[in-house]
Amino acid sequence: MATLTAQTPQTQPAWRPRTNSLEEIIAQGRTQPAGIRGALAVACATGLLMWAAFTPLDFGPLAWICLAPLCLLVRIERPTRSMYLAAWLGGLTFWVPALQWMRLGDKAMYPAWIVLSAYMAVYFPLFVALTRVAVWKLRVPVTCAVPVVWTGLELFRSFFLTGFAWYHLGHSQHHFTPLTQIADLAGTYGISFVVAAFSGCLAEMVSGSLLLTWGLIPAHAPHGFLETPRRRQWQRLGGCVALFAACFIYGLVRLNGPEFPVGPKVSLIQGDFECALEHDEARWIEIQRTHERLTGEAVLQQPQFIVWPETMFRWPLLDTPPGVTDQELQKAHPREPISYYRDPNIRKRLSDLAQMARAGLIVGLSGKEMDLEEVRNYNSAVLVRSEEHTSELQ
């Protein structure tokens, strides 16, 4: 008797993980970028060198090489992992200690210090990104791209969001007077251009083996970087030296040219009050008397002008359009003490001070412009001219 056995088909899993072949694993490994460690090291090196070029260390020669480590991120063909984050952290390495003086004015400045540092640090990765476009897309040599992009960003941040024109690379060369003379032609930006060009040239001369050693390119891709022939490297170095020589010679000519006439003697006084005290009306008399006393001490040097710090004369000066009466202004702005702003003793105090000092006064104060529509407040200054018998406010 025959027996029939039912055979059920063996079920297969609906999904089976795909196993990469050895060739695929090798190919995938070759496409992996280098780690973040090398990028972070060179970015922070730039931040530290740049910080040392400015006060308090004020070692200006470091500015000529400070951008070179960061520029190595431009030479590698494939960005490292989190390269732009590393560049931003390198920017913080410079800006946080460089701007730490902001916290000294008032405790409320601590957040402003950190926020401004975080914003300014963005210019480090932005510099890397734009320079990489110039080098890898437009085929501009690193030595040329670096000063153009860096100086362009300095110009941009000097005006963007009202501008922050501090800590330009050229500012670090204030001791090097023959070079700084080109500022009468191109401003601080011209000095920054010359200084940045040397960093770009130095970065272009770094050998590819060092890029591999420093972890900027993966070991399995030793040719993933821009290599400049040795002859061209020396040509570009010669171009930088020629540019420096031209600026240096121009500076010497300017320094040995006709002497400028002696200008007026100016005394600067500083009462060293915390910013918070500016809004404490109980201390206004103390602030005023302190600066009047310092003005008296400055008079002993017989200056032609005496300059007070900003907002240290705490009583505002009011400026109104002609033909508008105080009654009309008071009706349009009932909360404004018009009679207080019109107090003649405010202007008389400034005039008397200039008369006693027998010098022109440049006094920082709050200015108010008021019409029937609005009130505008300004951090302003007034020039009080002293004559033999009269004084004039401007």
Side-chain angles (χ1 to χ4, degrees):
M1 180 176 180
T3 303
L4 298 177
T5 304
Q7 295 183 358
T8 58
Q10 185 177 1
T11 58
Q12 299 290 335
W15 175 85
R16 173 183 295 176
R18 180 174 180 270
T19 304
N20 293 334
S21 65
L22 179 60
E23 291 78 8
E24 290 174 328
I25 294 175
I26 295 175
Q28 185 179 8
R30 288 177 176 173
T31 60
Q32 293 299 314
I36 189 178
R37 184 178 302 176
L40 185 60
V42 296
C44 290
T46 285
L48 291 174
L49 289 172
M50 189 176 296
W51 174 78
F54 291 93
T55 185
L57 296 186
D58 201 20
F59 192 58
L62 288 179
W64 296 81
I65 63 172
C66 67
L67 294 181
L70 188 65
C71 293
L72 297 180
L73 299 180
V74 175
R75 287 190 52 198
I76 54 177
E77 182 178 10
R78 187 185 311 154
T80 69
R81 288 190 182 92
S82 304
M83 184 177 76
Y84 295 106
L85 173 61
W88 181 74
L89 294 174
L92 287 180
T93 305
F94 169 67
W95 285 108
V96 169
L99 297 178
Q100 61 84 28
W101 51 265
M102 293 179 60
R103 63 185 174 82
L104 302 177
D106 190 88
K107 292 181 179 179
M109 292 300 293
Y110 274 84
W113 165 37
I114 300 303
V115 171
L116 182 59
S117 298
Y119 159 67
M120 296 303 297
V122 171
Y123 285 93
F124 271 47
L126 186 59
F127 164 72
V128 173
L130 294 178
T131 310
R132 285 180 61 84
V133 171
V135 170
W136 290 98
K137 300 295 184 181
L138 305 180
R139 300 300 177 183
V140 179
V142 176
T143 303
C144 298
V146 167
V148 170
V149 175
W150 184 267
T151 307
L153 288 176
E154 284 190 348
L155 179 62
F156 176 79
R157 70 174 172 86
S158 297
F159 295 94
F160 182 63
L161 296 176
T162 74
F164 190 78
W166 294 36
Y167 294 98
H168 287 174
L169 208 59
H171 292 157
S172 64
Q173 304 304 300
H174 60 93
H175 290 303
F176 195 5
T177 51
L179 177 66
T180 58
Q181 301 310 302
I182 65 171
D184 63 356
L185 300 177
T188 311
Y189 307 106
I191 305 172
S192 295
F193 186 95
V194 176
V195 175
F198 276 85
S199 283
C201 183
L202 177 60
E204 198 165 3
M205 298 182 73
V206 173
S207 66
S209 60
L210 288 179
L211 300 180
L212 181 62
T213 302
W214 295 339
L216 296 177
I217 53 178
H220 48 261
H223 300 293
F225 60 90
L226 181 69
E227 188 69 82
T228 304
R230 183 62 61 180
R231 180 179 178 183
R232 290 188 179 180
Q233 291 179 6
W234 287 106
Q235 288 175 345
R236 288 164 188 172
L237 178 60
C240 290
V241 172
L243 176 63
F244 169 79
C247 296
F248 185 79
I249 292 173
Y250 176 82
L252 292 180
V253 172
R254 293 288 292 168
L255 290 174
N256 291 280
E259 293 187 5
F260 289 98
V262 178
K265 181 185 289 187
V266 179
S267 291
L268 307 178
I269 63 174
Q270 174 61 263
D272 194 22
F273 286 94
E274 295 181 1
C275 295
L277 296 181
E278 296 179 11
H279 308 286
D280 184 359
E281 294 188 21
R283 304 288 298 275
W284 285 9
I285 297 298
E286 178 188 353
I287 293 173
Q288 178 73 17
R289 289 176 176 173
T290 297
H291 286 85
E292 289 180 354
R293 176 179 57 80
L294 293 174
T295 300
E297 295 178 7
V299 169
L300 299 177
Q301 305 298 322
Q302 298 182 335
Q304 293 169 269
F305 290 95
I306 300 175
V307 181
W308 283 30
E310 60 178 339
T311 66
M312 285 296 100
F313 187 85
R314 294 307 307 159
W315 292 269
L317 287 183
L318 178 62
D319 186 21
T320 59
V324 179
T325 66
D326 289 353
Q327 291 76 14
E328 292 173 327
L329 291 173
Q330 190 66 74
K331 184 178 180 180
H333 309 286
R335 296 185 177 181
E336 295 289 340
I338 305 297
S339 59
Y340 172 74
Y341 298 151
R342 292 298 195 190
D343 187 348
N345 290 320
I346 296 177
R347 291 176 176 266
K348 185 176 185 302
R349 194 176 192 101
L350 288 171
S351 299
D352 290 346
L353 187 61
Q355 283 288 86
M356 290 186 292
R358 295 191 176 276
L361 295 180
I362 300 176
V363 180
L365 44 68
S366 298
K368 280 184 175 291
E369 287 186 357
M370 186 182 302
D371 53 32
L372 297 179
E373 300 295 330
E374 61 178 333
V375 178
R376 293 172 291 274
N377 297 287
Y378 298 99
N379 185 10
S380 186
V382 62
L383 169 62
V384 188
R385 290 185 176 273
S386 173
E387 305 296 342
E388 186 174 354
H389 300 291
T390 63
S391 63
E392 177 185 3
L393 271 67
Q394 295 184 350

